[in-house]
Structures are given as C-alpha cells and as structure tokens.
C-alpha cells in the first residue's frame, strides 16, 4: 500500500500583489506613443514642411516671381528713385487702394514692396522697380507659396477649428517627445541586442530612436515657443499676463495711426502684428498739423521718415507704415531680423519730419522680451546662417521621424485582421503616484491635452472595452 505524498501546507500569509515592473511601464508608454502618433505625425509633417517653406521664403519667392521681385539696374551709375516717387506711381496705378506700408528692397536687385488695401478690403503687395519707379504688378500675399505655408502652419487654413487642431497636435507632440525619451533610454539594451543579431527592422528602429533623441530637445523648444500663437493656450496665458500688468506681446501704441490696422507678419519684428491701441496707458504719438493761416503743406514724406529713422540708429532695410489720417505719423520699423533685441520702431511727424517717439525691445514687458527671443529662435533667424542651418536640420529630422515611425509599425503589423497591433499596457497610475502627478500637471499646463485625455479615458471605459470588436481592434488590455 502506497501513501500519497503530503500536500504542501497552504500559507496563511496574504498574497503579495505584483507591482508593475519596468516592462509594464515601458509597454504603457509605448502604447501612448503609438496612438499619439496618429494625430501627431500628420500635424508635425505639415508644420515641418511649411516651416521649411517659411524659413526659405526670401530665397524661394523671387525664384517663383522673378518678373515682380527681381530687377536690374539699367546702368552701373543708375540710382534708385526717391520712395516718394515710387509711392506716387503706386497711387496712380491703384487709385482706389489705400497704401498701408512700404518695405525697402532687402538687397540689390530686389523690388520695393508696397502693401495696399483695395476698395473691397483685400490686401495686395505691389512691387515697384526702384530704378524707374515702374509698377511691376501685384500679388495676394495670402496666395503665394509662403503665404499659404503660413496659413497652413498656423491654422491649417481652417480658422478657429484648424488652430485648435494644431494646438492639440502640438500638445500631444510634447507627450510623444517625453514618452519617446523614456522608450529610448529604457529600450537601449534591447535595441543594441537586436541590432547585433541583425534582427529585421532593428536598424530602422535604432535610427528612429537616435534621431528622435537628438531632435527631441529642439522639437520640445519649437513646440513650447509656438504655444503663444495658439488660440486657446496663448489667449489664456495672455489674459493672465495682462491681469498681472504684463503681456506676451509688445504693445506699441504708435505703431500705426489706424486703431484697427495690422502689419504683415513677415515684417522683421516679432511685434508687427495686431496693434491694440486701447490696451495701455502710453500716449499715442500724433503729428502736429499746421495752425490756421500757416502756409505750406506736409514737409515730410517717406524719404524724410527713412532719413530721420536712420539718424536715430535704425538699420536698413526698413519698413514704413504710412499715416492713416491727418494726425497720423510715419512708423518706421528697423531691420532686426537676425537680432530680436535690436527691434525698434521710430515714429516720425508727418509735417515737421522730427522723431516724436520711439519704441523698442528695451520697452517690452519682460515676458514679451522672452517671447520675442523665442520667436527669433523658432523662426531660425536669431543667429544668422547658423540658426537657419540648425532649424533646417531640425525640420528634416522631424520629417525623418514622421516617416520612419509608420514604417516601423508597417514592418511589425499583425498578420491577423481586426487589430491595430498596438502595444498592450495600462499606465500604472495607482502604483506610481509621481506619474499621476506628472500627468495631472501636464493636463493643467496644457488644458487642451488634459481635456483630450479625459475624453479618451471615458471613451475607452464606456465604449471601447464594452464592444468586443473595438476592444480587439484597439488591442485593449
């Protein structure tokens, strides 16, 4: 007779719950990185490509419109006509339009550009040969290649809806960059092993990680420095800053004589946008009209304004906003494209030709100074050629990451239908309080991101996990 072996005694100690290890966190971050890419990749591709176009707009547009933007001197001794003569030619060619501003030729062989508003409210850029004061033609600035790129870059040419989509994509791109760094560091050894074994797709995955690690810091800077332009985050922060007596933007109350006017965003100043007259207490500079009985008309013109601004230390090429009424001033914006700290505007009396006020970088609120420097770096213009080269490489690296990401998924996609092939894993928020704090903080700092996370979590719990087909498609854990 055989006896059965004794059964092991059952432990009365409470079972220990397994804590989520690095693999659980890794797969959860990988999952968020994966699904965020569906929104972020199209947005980043648009931003990178349009950013490149905008970066090289001064080289690209003359190639596309040589008949309007490039000129040649009739002789070696030829001199340019006075700006007043060029303005008169524009007024003759467009008698029903209002000339808003003039931009000096950026270099030899380029046209003088006059911005006008037609009688139906449309904006046009009129190009003039500075040697013969000959009007060469005009363009709609919003329908040039660079103009379309600007509209796509800012709002996908869709107004408020496009602006919100861009902002949402930027918020999730920040999340992608942060999760990407975690995946890069935690997955370093695994990638090295796969690369050493010559595993399929290992080189592509390694290249994606290395390029992402290099470009990530720059991408985060570009995203954060672009947030002041957004309709939700930027508007809310500007509201909070205004309540504290500061501002994201400089507010030059003499920038134009027309309270509702604006200057083109391509001007060499970060503050050359909307001019809110009523948002400050500084006095608006006005020209002093001749007294009754005093003979003579206006003694100042565009050329006088340029000379006065040059004497005040402004750099060429300048942009001059014309007076909009009898008491208006010439507002001369000096060239500061390569140095935001040099931004300066001089306001010139339209009658006497003297400088009545100046406004520059040193007059900005501290917050506006920070934003101005950020914009200069964002647009690749703060350090001349080096800045352009760096921003160009950054855009190309972003395009590379946006292309290699989907390629990696395509190579590892599941053969079975009805599944996205997403990594499975939930964020261990309960077991990792610090992660919860970070997520909540990011949601507060980026409200659109926080709202989208809440919407995703609700959709996941109430719909996706309750419908088997959806749960299988999204690989819900």
């Amino acid at each position: 007779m055989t006896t059965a072996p004794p059964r092991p005694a059952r432990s009365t100690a409470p079972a220990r719950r397994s804590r989520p290890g690095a693999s659980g966190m890794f797969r959860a971050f990988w999952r968020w990185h994966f699904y965020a890419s569906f929104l972020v990749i199209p947005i980043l591709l648009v931003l990178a490509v349009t950013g490149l176009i905008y970066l090289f707009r001064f080289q690209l547009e003359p190639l596309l419109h040589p008949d309007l933007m490039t000129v040649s001197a009739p002789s070696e001794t030829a001199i340019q006509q006075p700006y007043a003569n060029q303005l008169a030619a524009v007024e003759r060619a467009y008698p029903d339009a209002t000339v808003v501003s003039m931009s000096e030729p950026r270099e030899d062989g380029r046209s003088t550009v006059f911005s006008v508003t037609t009688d139906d409210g449309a904006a046009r850029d009129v190009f003039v040969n500075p040697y013969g004061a000959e009007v060469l033609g005009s363009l709609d600035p919003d329908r040039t290649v660079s103009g379309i790129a600007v509209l796509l870059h800012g709002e996908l040419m869709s107004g408020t809806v496009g602006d919100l989509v861009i902002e949402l994509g930027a918020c999730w791109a920040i999340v992608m960059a942060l999760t990407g760094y975690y995946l890069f560091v935690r997955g370093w050894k695994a990638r090295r092993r796969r690369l050493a074994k010559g595993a399929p797709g290992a080189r592509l995955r390694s290249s994606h990680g290395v390029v992402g690690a290099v470009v990530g810091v720059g991408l985060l800077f570009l995203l954060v420095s672009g947030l002041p332009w957004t309709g939700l985050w930027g508007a809310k922060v500007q509201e909070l800053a205004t309540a504290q007596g500061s501002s994201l933007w400089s507010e030059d109350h003499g920038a134009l004589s027309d309270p509702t006017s604006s200057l083109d965003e391509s001007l060499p100043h970060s503050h050359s946008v909307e001019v809110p007259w009523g948002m400050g207490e500084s006095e608006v500079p006005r020209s002093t009209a001749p007294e009754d009985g005093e003979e003579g008309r206006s003694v100042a013109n565009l050329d006088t304004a340029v000379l006065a601004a040059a004497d005040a230390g402004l750099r060429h090429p300048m942009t001059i906003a014309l007076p909009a009424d009898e008491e208006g001033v010439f507002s001369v914006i000096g060239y500061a494209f390569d140095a935001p700290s040099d931004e300066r505007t001089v306001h010139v009396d339209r009658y006497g030709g003297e400088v009545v006020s100046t406004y520059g970088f040193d007059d900005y609120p501290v917050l506006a100074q920070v934003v101005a420097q950020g914009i200069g770096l964002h647009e690749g213009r703060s350090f001349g050629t080096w800045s352009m080269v760096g921003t160009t490489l950054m855009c190309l690296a972003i395009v590379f990451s946006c292309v290699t990401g989907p390629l990696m998924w395509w190579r590892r996609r599941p053969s079975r239908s009805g599944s996205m092939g997403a990594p499975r894993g939930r964020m261990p928020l309960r077991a990792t309080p610090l992660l919860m704090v970070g997520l909540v903080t990011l949601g507060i700092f980026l409200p659109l991101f926080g709202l989208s996370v809440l919407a995703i979590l609700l959709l996941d719990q109430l719909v996706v996990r309750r419908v088997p087909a959806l749960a299988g498609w999204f690989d819900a854990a």
Side-chain angles (χ1 to χ4, degrees):
M1 178 176 173
T2 59
T3 34
R7 294 181 179 180
R10 303 180 77 181
S11 174
T12 57
R16 297 180 59 184
R17 299 180 63 181
S18 60
R19 297 179 59 187
S23 60
M25 181 83 78
F26 183 88
R27 296 188 71 83
F29 272 74
W30 187 7
R31 183 177 178 85
W32 279 58
H33 194 81
F34 174 82
Y35 276 119
S37 66
F38 286 90
L39 169 67
V40 172
I41 285 178
I43 298 299
L44 283 186
L45 275 175
V46 170
L47 294 179
V49 173
T50 55
L52 279 172
I53 293 173
Y54 185 75
L55 185 65
F56 289 97
R57 62 196 181 281
F58 296 124
Q59 293 77 27
L60 179 63
E61 292 295 351
L63 294 176
L64 298 175
H65 308 283
D67 54 328
L68 298 178
M69 298 184 179
T70 59
V71 297
S72 57
S75 66
E76 294 183 0
T77 58
I79 60 174
Q80 295 187 8
Q81 292 291 310
Y83 291 128
N85 291 0
Q86 298 181 49
L87 172 62
V90 173
E91 292 175 334
R92 287 194 300 270
Y94 299 87
D96 297 326
T98 301
V99 182
V100 177
S101 66
M102 182 207 78
S103 296
E104 292 187 295
R106 291 184 57 83
E107 58 189 29
D108 291 339
R110 295 293 176 85
S111 307
T112 308
V113 184
F114 289 83
S115 296
V116 306
T117 303
T118 61
D119 54 356
D120 59 356
R124 304 286 297 181
D125 282 346
V126 180
F127 300 87
V128 178
N129 185 336
Y131 296 103
E134 172 193 0
V135 175
L136 302 175
S138 68
L139 288 173
D140 181 346
D142 289 339
R143 290 297 175 264
T144 61
V145 170
S146 58
I148 293 173
V150 169
L151 293 176
L152 284 171
H153 196 86
E155 56 184 36
L156 299 177
M157 300 184 73
S158 303
T160 302
V161 173
D163 178 82
L164 290 174
V165 171
I166 289 287
E167 183 174 348
L168 183 62
C171 292
W172 278 95
I174 293 174
V175 174
M176 276 200 73
L178 296 177
T179 55
Y181 272 115
Y182 180 88
L183 298 176
F184 179 77
V185 174
R186 298 295 301 187
W188 174 262
K189 292 183 179 179
R191 285 195 308 275
R192 296 289 296 176
R193 287 195 300 267
R194 288 177 56 83
L195 193 60
K197 294 179 180 179
R203 185 170 298 279
L204 180 65
R205 188 172 181 179
S206 178
S207 300
H208 180 85
V210 171
V211 172
V214 173
V215 77
V217 174
L219 174 61
L220 285 170
F221 171 79
L222 290 176
L223 293 169
V224 173
S225 62
L227 285 176
W229 278 301
T230 57
L232 182 63
W233 191 95
K236 187 60 179 178
V237 173
Q238 172 65 4
E239 180 183 330
L240 295 174
T242 302
Q244 299 300 318
S246 185
S247 173
L248 289 174
W249 311 103
S250 59
E251 296 166 0
D252 181 2
H253 302 279
L256 277 177
S257 301
D258 180 0
T260 63
S261 62
S262 62
L263 295 181
D264 189 88
E265 292 184 358
S266 64
L267 295 181
H269 264 223
S270 63
H271 69 273
S272 301
V273 288
E274 295 291 335
V275 186
W277 286 89
M279 290 184 62
E281 298 178 356
S282 59
E283 183 179 355
V284 176
R286 312 297 287 176
S287 291
T288 303
E291 297 181 359
D292 293 339
E294 184 179 350
E295 295 183 359
R297 299 177 62 191
S298 172
V299 296
N301 57 23
L302 275 172
D303 301 280
T304 309
V306 170
L307 288 174
D311 289 342
L314 265 62
R315 296 163 57 193
H316 295 278
M318 303 177 191
T319 296
I320 304 91
L322 277 65
D325 54 38
E326 293 299 320
E327 295 184 351
V329 293
F330 290 99
S331 297
V332 187
I333 303 171
Y335 183 81
F337 193 78
D338 56 349
S341 58
D342 289 347
E343 291 181 0
R344 194 162 170 240
T345 301
V346 168
H347 305 294
V348 180
D349 188 293
R350 67 174 299 176
Y351 298 102
E354 69 274 6
V355 174
V356 293
S357 71
T358 62
Y359 185 79
F361 184 85
D362 293 338
D363 302 308
Y364 297 1
V366 173
L367 188 57
Q369 291 181 342
V370 173
V371 171
Q373 294 287 6
I375 290 173
L377 290 170
H378 186 100
E379 295 183 344
R381 57 183 175 84
S382 289
F383 300 106
T385 302
W386 287 108
S387 200
M388 282 196 67
V389 170
T391 305
T392 300
L393 293 176
M394 184 72 61
C395 291
L396 293 176
I398 291 172
V399 172
F400 175 84
S401 297
C402 290
V403 172
T404 54
L407 283 177
M408 288 191 302
W409 168 80
W410 183 258
R411 298 193 67 165
R412 60 172 288 275
R413 72 191 189 282
S415 57
R416 65 186 179 89
S417 60
S419 172
M420 290 285 290
R424 293 176 179 268
R426 290 190 180 186
M427 284 288 185
L429 298 177
R430 293 181 181 178
T432 316
L434 189 60
L435 183 61
M436 173 67 83
V437 171
L439 186 62
V440 172
T441 301
L442 195 62
I444 293 174
F445 178 72
L446 302 172
L448 204 56
F449 166 74
L451 292 173
S452 66
V453 168
L454 290 176
I456 290 170
L457 292 177
L458 287 174
L459 187 65
D460 180 63
Q461 293 296 324
L462 300 180
V463 179
V464 172
R465 296 183 183 277
R466 300 190 180 197
V467 180
L470 291 177
W473 175 257
F474 288 103
D475 297 286

